[in-house]
Amino acid sequence: MSQVLIQLSASLIGGLLMSRLAKKLNLPAVTAYLVAGLLLGPYCIGALGLGGLGFGTAEAVASLDIMSQVALGFIAFTIGNEFRLDQLKHMGRQAITVGILQAVATTVLVDIALVGLHFINPTLISVSSAITLGAIAAATAPAATLMVVRQYKADGPLTKLLLLVVAIDDAVGLVLFSASFGVATALESGSISLVTVLVEPVVEIVLSLVLGAVAGWVLYRLEKYFFSRSKRLTLSIAFVLLTVGFSMVEFEIGGIHCGFSLLLVCMMTGTVFCNICDFSEELMGRVDSWTAPLFVLFFVLSGAELNLRILSNPLVLLIGVVYIIFRSLGKYLGAFGSCAMTGCSEKITKYLGITLLPQAGVALGMALTAQQLSDGEIVRNVVLFSVLVYELVGPALTKRALIAAGEIRIEGKTNARKQNSPKTPMHLH
């Protein structure tokens, strides 16, 4: 237990110290936390075995996975707060259209590229793994995006649409992955299960939304019994922990495997709560301040999970480079085309795709499931490689895109948070 406490302390302090260096390099803090995790991980300082100062093994990092799950729950709950009815009336149709089309476009492009790679050299990757990777490519990491938005107090049409699209992306990615993985399994086994391909993903989405909606309503009803800010904050934290716990429950009904999506459940909880509670904004501000250390820890642990050994495998690097190039093209072109189709402004059309590049936890979860395929280890390693690249580069690209769109003030000697406050008009120098 003492070693775990030292590891957690080293993670927080290391992440914060690294963020000072990142600030001098004009990099987002989230990149600093990920690099700190890499340094503390089992392939750098952790390999020295200094008794808690770093993570000696991947299992040591995995043992703290509950911390990451809780952090994801709070991230999703915060993003759910963006789904306010007045905002949905204004850009709900655009968000849904863009969220679906950019994900589908990314999957199609990556599928074409990797299946083409299979036909060029069948020993590189199987068709089943190729189409599974195509579906995984649709997933976007909400955590890194939200951290950049929060750090620089980004605000404007692009930021608002981005948060909505990232939230919708989880549901779309879940359906695409379930369908693609079902087809991939059928190709290897010779039989296809319509229940696995069509029914189970829809059931998971519906159950997640219903559970989240009920949790949001119950949270609001209970909050009305308390008037102290600290007690309301405590109750909100308790409900996020509760929804994260319920999201891990799995069961079977009539041969249909039923489960929940943690991100969807917590997003729906936040959405329902913020739309029926008249004091939700003030309460969300207090939740945000409470969760800051938890988010630092989440990204440091995410960095420690990244496996540097995959960089020594030429096969993974080749497939990974193809995957990254075509996923990036899919995200950019898919967002560009769907934004133009729905009448978005020129800045949103030009920059939204760049902000959708980060990829992390959701993709890794899908890759873990994909290991059941005959060459599933390739899928997992390619995703690990892409996450390594996207998590280190993606936040910086998101920041640059939001600056170019005029929704983050360029940093100087003045604190960026003060520069980007709602009272100060945002423009480029």
Side-chain angles (χ1 to χ4, degrees):
M1 185 59 70
S2 63
Q3 185 166 318
V4 171
L5 291 175
I6 295 171
Q7 287 173 335
L8 293 177
S9 175
S11 298
L12 289 170
I13 295 170
L16 292 174
L17 290 176
M18 188 61 69
S19 71
R20 300 308 300 168
L21 175 61
K23 186 175 178 64
K24 294 183 181 296
L25 299 174
N26 284 324
L27 291 173
V30 61
T31 303
Y33 304 149
L34 289 161
V35 172
L38 272 174
L39 295 176
L40 292 170
Y43 307 103
C44 293
I45 294 174
L48 302 177
L50 299 177
L53 186 60
F55 302 93
T57 64
E59 289 72 23
V61 184
S63 68
L64 297 172
D65 184 59
I66 187 63
M67 304 292 293
S68 298
Q69 296 300 311
V70 170
L72 271 178
F74 278 102
I75 288 166
F77 183 69
T78 302
I79 291 178
N81 191 50
E82 300 298 321
F83 281 79
R84 294 185 178 271
L85 287 177
D86 56 342
Q87 196 163 304
L88 287 175
K89 289 176 183 176
H90 178 62
M91 56 174 55
R93 183 179 64 86
Q94 287 180 331
I96 293 171
T97 303
V98 173
I100 294 173
L101 293 184
Q102 58 83 23
V104 172
T106 303
T107 296
V108 170
L109 266 182
V110 175
D111 277 348
I112 291 172
L114 293 181
V115 170
L117 197 62
H118 164 79
F119 285 115
I120 292 171
N121 188 343
T123 61
L124 289 177
I125 187 171
S126 67
V127 173
S128 57
S129 291
I131 62 175
T132 301
L133 276 169
I136 294 174
T140 300
T145 304
L146 180 64
M147 282 294 285
V148 173
V149 169
R150 285 178 56 178
Q151 180 186 354
Y152 298 105
K153 304 296 180 187
D155 190 29
L158 173 58
T159 302
K160 288 181 171 62
L161 183 62
L162 168 62
L163 291 175
L164 293 176
V165 169
V166 166
I168 292 167
D169 195 75
D170 183 50
V172 178
L174 175 63
V175 172
L176 288 172
F177 176 75
S178 297
S180 296
F181 185 64
V183 172
T185 305
L187 288 174
E188 294 198 342
S189 65
S191 63
I192 189 166
S193 169
L194 291 178
V195 171
T196 303
V197 175
L198 298 176
V199 178
E200 289 184 356
V202 173
V203 168
E204 182 170 334
I205 290 172
V206 172
L207 286 177
S208 299
L209 294 178
V210 170
L211 175 59
V214 171
W217 182 80
V218 174
L219 173 59
Y220 167 64
R221 300 300 299 178
L222 290 177
E223 292 277 15
K224 293 180 72 175
Y225 287 103
F226 301 95
F227 301 96
S228 163
R229 290 179 176 180
S230 59
K231 288 178 179 177
R232 283 179 169 176
L233 173 63
T234 302
L235 188 59
S236 299
I237 292 169
F239 255 77
V240 174
L241 295 176
L242 183 67
T243 51
V244 170
F246 275 130
S247 299
M248 296 177 179
V249 174
E250 296 182 357
F251 55 94
E252 193 168 301
I253 298 178
I256 299 175
H257 177 265
C258 302
F260 302 93
S261 164
L262 183 152
L263 288 174
L264 283 181
V265 172
C266 294
M267 278 180 201
M268 193 62 178
T269 303
T271 299
V272 171
F273 178 69
C274 78
N275 278 290
I276 62 177
C277 179
D278 54 358
F279 52 83
S280 63
E281 287 203 48
E282 185 269 340
L283 188 57
M284 289 302 297
R286 295 178 67 81
V287 170
D288 286 348
S289 62
W290 183 87
T291 55
L294 186 61
F295 290 173
V296 174
L297 191 59
F298 170 76
F299 285 104
V300 172
L301 291 175
S302 296
E305 284 181 327
L306 298 177
N307 188 347
L308 295 180
R309 287 179 182 168
I310 59 175
L311 298 177
S312 62
N313 187 334
L315 177 61
V316 171
L317 294 181
L318 171 61
I319 300 172
V321 168
V322 174
Y323 174 88
I324 289 170
I325 290 173
F326 282 90
R327 178 181 182 270
S328 302
L329 279 173
K331 286 291 179 185
Y332 185 79
L333 295 177
F336 188 97
S338 54
C339 284
M341 184 189 307
T342 54
C344 293
S345 69
E346 183 181 345
K347 285 184 178 179
I348 292 178
T349 302
K350 185 176 180 180
Y351 296 113
L352 179 64
I354 298 172
T355 64
L356 296 173
L357 293 180
Q359 187 174 47
V362 177
L364 290 173
M366 293 175 176
L368 194 62
T369 302
Q371 279 190 281
Q372 300 171 30
L373 298 173
S374 58
D375 58 346
E377 194 64 27
I378 286 291
V379 174
R380 180 177 177 275
N381 287 335
V382 168
V383 173
L384 279 171
F385 173 61
S386 73
V387 166
L388 176 64
V389 174
Y390 279 126
E391 283 296 88
L392 295 177
V393 177
L397 291 176
T398 298
K399 176 192 172 184
R400 288 182 176 275
L402 291 173
I403 288 175
E407 299 189 9
I408 291 178
R409 289 282 300 275
I410 296 176
E411 288 186 280
K413 294 183 179 179
T414 308
N415 189 298
R417 299 181 191 188
K418 293 179 181 177
Q419 284 184 322
N420 294 317
S421 68
K423 296 179 182 178
T424 306
M426 291 179 293
H427 62 274
L428 285 172
H429 289 305

